[in-house]
Amino acid sequence: MTTNESTHATADRRTADRRTLGSTGPTVFPLGLGCMGMSALYGEADRAESIATIHAYLDAAPDGTHTLLDTGDFYGMGHNELLIAEALSTAPAEARERALTSVKFGALRTVEGGFTGYDGRPEAVKNFLAYSLQRLGRDHIDIYRIARVDPDVPIEETVGAIAEAVEAGHVRHIGLSEVGADTLRRAAAVAPISDLQIEYSLISRGIEAEILPTARELGIGITAYGVLSRGLISGHFTLDRALAPGDFRGMSPRFQGDNLHRNLDLVEALRKVAEGKGVSVAQTAIAWVLAQGPRHGVDIVPLVGARRRDRLTEALGAMDVSLDAANLAAIEEAVPVGAAAGERYPAAQMAHLDSEH
């Protein structure tokens, strides 16, 4: 097969591999781009490279295929939305028109960058939405979701406010983030939910017990973040890596002391499987998440947090990795369920996760 034929074959396969977020959501490219790291929490990022990476992601999807850019209005206190707006304004018109935005809201921040809680009141929903539309330079947001459940506001009220925004044309679809099965049911009783955004990876499989089956039952898709566990299972993270100031992984339990040693041992076991297929560790980990969608009867769209074009290229290669039953069994043996050492967030942040209660 020639290089040109190979390229066309890959494009054809990717076109066929579009994924639909739930029974009511949009049909999108198999991988979404998580843009958080371009603005916050992983140290300094190169603005020009970030925009070039967004452009490369938009270009990777076949013509006519919607792409998915994921952000939060609190990522860099609005910086990330402005970055996306700049990237879209400088992208070709066709790519810009098929780019969908997924926005999380509700997190309360301090000037110093701290988090002080979440606000899911209906009036707050309208306020957050107005600012996001202005920063993004758009007349609507494609998927809108509260980042974490506000414990003082029933989810029905928050979702009801987003539903009003859908009726007004300011939002196209309603999403949720890090909610448990009961909250998922309550929200879906108010309005159609396109997808649940939640952490899901080889070392974060808690959703498989109850949340994923509930989403399947209700016809709700999954946008999976943390598929490389913040770089931990990418195959690129090392014991001697020095984290930049402000990199929140410095406070993450899975990156601490003996936990890090144990988790990187899992990565080395996974590396043997990856090398056997002639692909990278990151591609194997992403391909595993991609494979769970059809396997569980609900479409799963992994969000890859690439900040550079080389990392994006590697991640896109995961779509060309085919995992058969033997491969999946080998991966399961290398990284068994529950094998990760440490919680996925510090205790204070775990307390905000409705999905963990």
Side-chain angles (χ1 to χ4, degrees):
M1 182 180 289
T2 68
T3 299
N4 190 52
E5 290 172 335
S6 176
T7 299
H8 283 301
T10 297
D12 290 342
R13 193 195 63 73
R14 288 180 178 177
T15 300
D17 200 24
R18 293 169 178 161
R19 299 197 169 196
T20 301
L21 292 177
S23 58
T24 63
T27 298
V28 298
F29 194 50
L31 292 181
L33 182 63
C35 300
M36 180 188 75
M38 299 176 181
S39 296
L41 300 176
Y42 290 118
E44 292 294 326
D46 184 301
R47 188 180 189 88
E49 180 62 23
S50 295
I51 290 174
T53 300
I54 293 174
H55 287 168
Y57 167 70
L58 299 177
D59 290 344
D63 291 345
T65 300
H66 287 297
T67 49
L68 186 65
L69 298 172
D70 183 77
T71 184
D73 63 11
F74 51 94
Y75 292 166
M77 287 75 158
H79 178 279
N80 204 236
E81 290 178 320
L82 292 170
L83 181 75
I84 289 172
E86 181 179 348
L88 291 176
S89 70
T90 54
E94 191 275 335
R96 180 170 62 249
E97 290 168 2
R98 56 187 170 83
L100 305 185
T101 52
S102 168
V103 179
K104 291 178 290 298
F105 70 90
L108 304 177
R109 306 291 303 272
T110 66
V111 173
E112 295 75 22
F115 288 85
T116 60
Y118 297 89
D119 193 345
R121 296 171 301 147
E123 56 267 38
V125 174
K126 297 174 183 178
N127 178 77
F128 288 127
L129 176 59
Y131 279 91
S132 284
L133 289 172
Q134 178 68 25
R135 285 188 291 260
L136 288 166
R138 296 198 142 195
D139 63 4
H140 72 276
I141 289 171
D142 295 286
I143 310 176
Y144 202 49
R145 67 185 90 240
I146 190 166
R148 301 287 186 268
V149 174
D150 182 343
D152 298 322
V153 179
I155 193 64
E156 290 85 352
E157 293 184 16
T158 302
V159 169
I162 305 175
E164 291 179 5
V166 172
E167 292 177 5
H170 303 313
V171 171
R172 294 284 169 82
H173 303 282
I174 303 171
L176 292 169
S177 176
E178 285 290 354
V179 304
D182 179 63
T183 302
L184 196 59
R185 290 185 187 280
R186 289 167 53 200
V190 174
I193 305 298
S194 67
D195 67 303
L196 167 64
Q197 187 173 122
I198 196 162
E199 186 167 356
Y200 187 39
S201 74
L202 273 169
I203 63 172
S204 296
R205 297 178 61 175
I207 72 170
E208 292 177 350
E210 186 176 7
I211 295 173
L212 188 56
T214 301
R216 180 178 60 208
E217 175 192 337
L218 297 174
I220 295 171
I222 298 290
T223 41
Y225 76 88
V227 293
L228 296 179
S229 197
R230 300 157 187 84
L232 180 60
I233 60 172
S234 67
H236 302 300
F237 203 92
T238 59
L239 282 172
D240 59 354
R241 178 170 174 176
L243 296 174
D247 191 322
F248 89 108
R249 288 175 293 188
M251 299 181 293
S252 173
R254 289 183 175 173
F255 288 82
Q256 305 301 310
D258 289 343
N259 287 349
L260 180 59
H261 283 264
R262 291 167 58 190
N263 291 329
L264 289 182
D265 284 344
L266 296 175
V267 175
E268 290 311 305
L270 183 62
R271 192 185 304 277
K272 294 178 181 178
V273 179
E275 289 175 347
K277 288 192 65 67
V279 298
S280 73
V281 175
Q283 289 169 338
T284 304
I286 297 169
W288 180 87
V289 178
L290 280 166
Q292 305 312 302
R295 185 181 177 191
H296 288 287
V298 57
D299 269 346
I300 297 175
V301 174
L303 301 174
V304 295
R307 300 196 295 172
R308 305 192 324 243
R309 283 168 286 180
D310 59 333
R311 291 288 191 252
L312 174 66
T313 298
E314 180 182 28
L316 291 171
M319 291 189 293
D320 301 318
V321 177
S322 178
L323 299 176
D324 60 23
N327 298 145
L328 291 169
I331 291 170
E332 295 272 354
E333 183 178 356
V335 188
V337 176
E343 297 286 0
R344 54 195 182 101
Y345 285 102
Q349 295 182 39
M350 289 291 290
H352 288 292
L353 298 178
D354 181 80
S355 56
E356 295 288 339
H357 302 303

